[in-house]
Amino acid sequence: MSLLGSFLVNLAVFVAVAVGGGLGTAWYMIETGSRLSTRTFGPWTTWTAAGRPDADPYTRAHVLRNALLPLSTTLEMTYHARADSRGGRLHSACEYAIVVEGFDTAWWSIAAFDGRGGVIQNPAERYAFNTDTVMREPDGRAVITLARDARPGNWLPIGGGSRITLVLTVQDAAWAAASQEGSPPKPLPEIQRIACR
Amino acid sequence: MKLSRPTMPKWPREIGWRTIVGAILLGGVIHIVATFAVPALGPAAAMRKLREALPPNQMVILRPAAPGKQPLPFLAPDAFHAICRYDVTTSPVNVSAVLGDPGWTLSLHTPQGDNFYVMPAQQLRRNEVSFTVAPGGDRTADFGLARRPSGSETFIETPTSEGLIVLRAPLRGLSWQAATEAMLRRASCSPVARKR
């Protein structure tokens, strides 16, 4: 290979690795996060310093880029799930069951969004359940069913043929403190896929 | 039949180790610059989205999120939000609100989304809150306010001259909607009247 050819090859590799690698890793760390800034519990992922003034640069960039307005994680933890407990991508063509238990005195909410964080249009105009609106079983558990068509009990409608993101919010200072130390005091709800069309 | 061995292209052998090391170093610099540039270049995405809907120093009640009418992505759809875009450039801001049931929160955010103050509603506690948001440091005195407030006054120093005050009221169901809205309407946010 000629001297010019060798120079061009090195230049192309240099630019590709520097720009592609630099921007690509920054994008990954800001959008997806790593163990430096997030914790994952089953299908649920949380940005551990979201909303805090002492948050790391990745968390701050994540909050800004996504136009989020989180409460400090010293009070409230927000968990996002884009997959079910077996790793399958959450999709509106499928039906899921979420069993919520173990939050005791904590206030909690589960909401379904599309992939971009928009609420999902449905005739029932129901987009979330929380501590006060969910119906409980005699043993205190709450079973929430995500499905396109109506289901008995706590039905959270999903439709539109798109990917789904679930957001679980738990507001309790003791819970948040335990989560900051390592893991939540109780396991987070499983997301069980029941069927797909 | 004799199979010819696949031949590797020659150009990878031309890549020098200095190229790889230099690219990785520059990539690291680009990574750091890009990460820090997001807050610097994209000033306050949430603030920017809300700015037009929020006149300064005025509490505005936003309806719960609905398809196509969502002020921010991933904003709790099972809650009302009363939001005030405060601006303490010319005057501190008085804030008062009533916190209802557990789940209600009153929070203060910088334009970058930092939540520098939050108060949750708690059972068996007095849930009426009022305080003054003032700029930090010596600027408090500029506005004729005492550096040491009396026992009945609460000052919250804001690290930025602008920001958001968010009162979040989760919905307990349609039956409680009117009561929730009535409590939210009691929230206020207004500039402090100057003493003559």
Side-chain angles (χ1 to χ4, degrees):
Chain A
M1 190 176 274
S2 68
L3 197 61
L4 178 64
S6 176
F7 171 76
L8 289 176
V9 164
N10 277 276
L11 182 67
V13 168
F14 183 82
V15 171
V17 171
V19 177
L23 291 179
T25 52
W27 180 87
Y28 180 84
M29 294 292 282
I30 291 169
E31 283 302 305
T32 307
S34 71
R35 282 195 60 83
L36 289 174
S37 51
T38 63
R39 292 279 183 279
T40 299
F41 309 101
W44 303 98
T45 299
T46 184
W47 288 74
T48 53
R52 283 168 39 181
D54 62 348
D56 57 275
Y58 298 119
T59 301
R60 300 191 74 175
H62 175 79
V63 165
L64 268 170
R65 217 182 103 72
N66 292 285
L68 305 176
L69 209 53
L71 291 185
S72 169
T73 52
T74 52
L75 173 69
E76 185 173 281
M77 300 299 292
T78 304
Y79 305 90
H80 288 234
R82 293 184 170 83
D84 61 34
S85 290
R86 297 174 70 180
R89 190 71 172 83
L90 294 176
H91 199 278
S92 61
C94 298
E95 180 177 340
Y96 303 93
I98 306 170
V99 180
V100 183
E101 58 184 332
F103 288 133
D104 300 331
T105 57
W107 181 88
W108 60 265
S109 166
I110 286 185
F113 295 93
D114 61 24
R116 292 180 163 191
V119 293
I120 300 165
Q121 187 149 23
N122 67 83
E125 296 184 355
R126 190 178 299 150
Y127 314 107
F129 282 105
N130 63 39
T131 309
D132 297 311
T133 57
V134 79
M135 288 189 296
R136 295 171 199 280
E137 305 286 316
D139 60 5
R141 297 180 311 146
V143 181
I144 297 170
T145 307
L146 277 74
R148 182 174 291 189
D149 301 318
R151 293 288 182 273
N154 301 304
W155 171 48
L156 197 51
I158 51 174
S162 66
R163 293 180 165 184
I164 303 295
T165 299
L166 289 176
V167 176
L168 167 65
T169 306
V170 183
Q171 188 189 108
D172 182 51
W175 180 286
S179 300
Q180 297 288 327
E181 294 289 321
S183 59
K186 300 274 176 65
L188 294 175
E190 285 201 3
I191 305 170
Q192 299 161 358
R193 192 174 75 188
I194 296 170
C196 285
R197 293 188 176 199
Chain B
M1 186 175 154
K2 192 175 179 182
L3 291 173
S4 60
R5 290 178 64 189
T7 54
M8 293 288 288
K10 288 180 181 173
W11 65 266
R13 276 179 256 159
E14 298 294 323
I15 302 168
W17 66 270
R18 291 182 186 86
T19 302
I20 299 295
V21 171
I24 290 171
L25 289 175
L26 181 62
V29 172
I30 291 173
H31 175 100
I32 292 167
V33 169
T35 302
F36 282 97
V38 171
L41 296 180
M47 184 87 164
R48 195 176 59 231
K49 282 177 182 269
L50 293 170
R51 183 180 288 274
E52 285 185 12
L54 301 174
N57 300 332
Q58 201 172 314
M59 197 65 88
V60 176
I61 299 175
L62 305 179
R63 306 284 305 172
K69 297 174 185 169
Q70 211 174 324
L72 296 175
F74 295 112
L75 194 67
D78 56 343
F80 278 98
H81 291 85
I83 305 183
C84 168
R85 176 166 69 85
Y86 71 82
D87 183 348
V88 296
T89 310
T90 54
S91 166
V93 172
N94 279 337
V95 179
S96 66
V98 179
L99 295 173
D101 303 295
W104 284 55
T105 52
L106 180 63
S107 55
L108 276 69
H109 304 258
T110 66
Q112 288 73 34
D114 295 340
N115 173 209
F116 62 93
Y117 179 84
V118 60
M119 175 179 278
Q122 292 182 333
Q123 287 174 329
L124 309 176
R125 286 266 183 96
R126 182 169 165 258
N127 282 331
E128 288 182 26
V129 292
S130 63
F131 53 83
T132 302
V133 181
D138 293 334
R139 291 212 56 210
T140 309
D142 296 345
F143 297 116
L145 299 171
R147 290 290 305 276
R148 290 175 178 272
S150 69
S152 61
E153 291 176 296
T154 304
F155 282 170
I156 295 175
E157 286 191 359
T158 169
T160 52
S161 59
E162 261 196 314
L164 295 171
I165 299 164
V166 182
L167 179 59
R168 186 184 73 187
L171 282 171
R172 300 179 66 192
L174 286 175
S175 313
W176 280 274
Q177 188 165 324
T180 303
E181 283 187 89
M183 285 178 79
L184 279 175
R185 276 195 293 271
R186 292 172 64 186
S188 70
C189 164
S190 57
V192 173
R194 284 198 176 231
K195 290 175 185 172
R196 300 200 172 206

